[in-house]
Amino acid sequence: MDVLSDLLHRARARTSVAHQLIRRPPWSLTYADAPPLAVVATLGGHASIRFEDATPVRLAAGDLALVRGTGRYTVADDPATPPEVEIRAGRKYFLGGTDVVRANQELAPRSYGDGLPGATVLLRGSYELHGDVAERLLEMLPPLAVVPAGPRTRAALDLLAAEVALDEPGQDAVLGRLLDLVLVLALRAWCADAETALPSWYGALADPAIGAALRLLHADPAHPWTVAGLAAKAGMSRAAFSARFTGRVGEPPLTYLTGWRMALGADLLRDTEATVAAVAREVGYENAFAFSVAFKRVRGVSPSTWRRDQD
């Protein structure tokens, strides 16, 4: 499994939700407590996204935006449209002057608006991502990443939009997988942009030797890896491999491995009842003491204290 796929798999969303707005302007939706990651796309018409005290960003038809973080933001037909609906804790709150019937009319399952000619079609999917591994994924993204319309993302968005309006057996499973597809295609397209500032490890994936080493570390983090062993797998000398890995990734091989193990260990401590010793073995340490020393060096607290603080 490649590194991006591994991150996406391990950061699997607890829940993913998709909704569609089909509404003639003017309209405005404010998300007061947004999830860690959302996908916003305009399938017809146009829209703008604005964070508080930031310049609005325009989305043309077919454009897709990845919105990271839990900050407050507004999606509207135009930046000048006054606030109309605020969504907080999963509930809609209608603000003064809102045509409630027009704004909240249910056109189909998960689809709202008036459905009149000239309507904007807005699709939004949200993710509650999971744990410390998710943080590594989210670190790839700025608060707002816009992916211009393209044939591959458009095909996936059209399929997702069609499924959002259905209510058939297995619908939640279908929507979850289609949202994952849209997310992966958007990440690919955004990362392929020459102007995108990517984490060092992502750029290193293009290096055949270093990319192969990263795949090995992610495929089997509990293996007793050594620099010499990784260098042999890459067909390089130990010194040349170590220098090349550090130059491409930004840190030495075993430092990267330790950070990855600590992220996995933190998620296991948070999400399971496994003992510290069991977690230690799962992520490649012979005993709880060795794991605890490494964990405290990286995280600043012992595994037991960290687990208690998550409650």
Side-chain angles (χ1 to χ4, degrees):
M1 184 181 293
D2 67 84
V3 178
L4 181 57
S5 294
D6 190 33
L7 286 176
L8 288 163
H9 173 73
R10 294 180 187 271
R12 186 178 299 277
R14 293 189 185 95
T15 57
S16 53
V17 180
H19 290 98
Q20 188 171 221
L21 176 74
I22 305 174
R23 177 84 184 277
R24 191 168 58 180
W27 54 268
S28 175
L29 303 171
T30 295
Y31 295 91
D33 48 4
L37 182 62
V39 176
V40 178
T42 47
L43 303 186
H46 62 270
S48 75
I49 299 182
R50 65 180 185 270
F51 291 90
E52 291 185 336
D53 302 322
T55 303
V57 175
R58 189 177 189 274
L59 298 180
D63 288 352
L64 187 154
L66 299 174
V67 186
R68 176 180 65 82
T70 55
R72 181 186 181 94
Y73 68 93
T74 298
V75 186
D77 68 297
D78 187 272
T81 299
E84 181 184 54
V85 178
E86 183 171 296
I87 300 173
R88 198 166 59 245
R91 298 185 62 184
K92 292 181 180 178
Y93 295 87
F94 297 96
L95 308 179
T98 302
D99 183 342
V100 174
V101 173
R102 187 166 173 257
N104 201 43
Q105 181 178 343
E106 186 171 345
L107 303 174
R110 310 173 195 84
S111 297
Y112 302 89
D114 52 35
L116 295 173
T120 298
V121 181
L122 182 79
L123 186 67
R124 181 178 181 271
S126 61
Y127 293 85
E128 291 291 343
L129 294 176
H130 180 75
D132 281 47
V133 171
E135 290 301 316
R136 289 193 165 218
L137 177 63
L138 293 173
E139 284 170 0
M140 295 177 61
L141 297 168
L144 177 62
V146 176
V147 177
R152 298 183 73 185
T153 53
R154 181 65 197 226
L157 287 170
D158 286 342
L159 184 56
L160 178 58
E163 289 292 334
V164 162
L166 300 178
D167 193 11
E168 298 180 352
Q171 200 68 39
D172 288 341
V174 170
L175 290 173
R177 283 157 178 77
L178 285 176
L179 270 174
D180 288 345
L181 174 61
V182 169
L183 175 60
V184 173
L185 292 176
L187 284 171
R188 277 184 183 173
W190 185 77
C191 290
D193 189 324
E195 297 183 2
T196 296
L198 295 170
S200 298
W201 62 261
Y202 189 91
L205 297 176
D207 183 304
I210 306 308
L214 286 167
R215 286 192 292 274
L216 288 171
L217 295 178
H218 278 257
D220 191 3
H223 183 82
W225 295 110
T226 63
V227 176
L230 288 167
K233 292 283 188 181
M236 300 175 66
S237 71
R238 183 185 185 283
F241 171 78
S242 182
R244 190 160 162 183
F245 189 103
T246 302
R248 295 284 194 275
V249 178
E251 57 187 349
L254 297 189
T255 302
Y256 180 91
L257 175 60
T258 298
W260 179 231
R261 285 172 168 174
M262 294 305 105
L264 297 176
D267 283 353
L268 287 169
L269 289 167
R270 178 194 292 110
D271 301 328
T272 75
E273 298 297 324
T275 64
V276 173
V279 171
R281 291 191 295 271
E282 181 76 15
V283 299
Y285 289 85
E286 292 184 355
N287 53 59
F289 177 76
F291 172 67
S292 296
V293 169
F295 194 93
K296 188 169 184 177
R297 184 175 67 249
V298 173
R299 299 294 177 118
V301 295
S302 70
S304 298
T305 299
W306 191 90
R307 170 179 265 172
R308 186 175 62 248
D309 290 344
Q310 305 310 302
D311 293 337

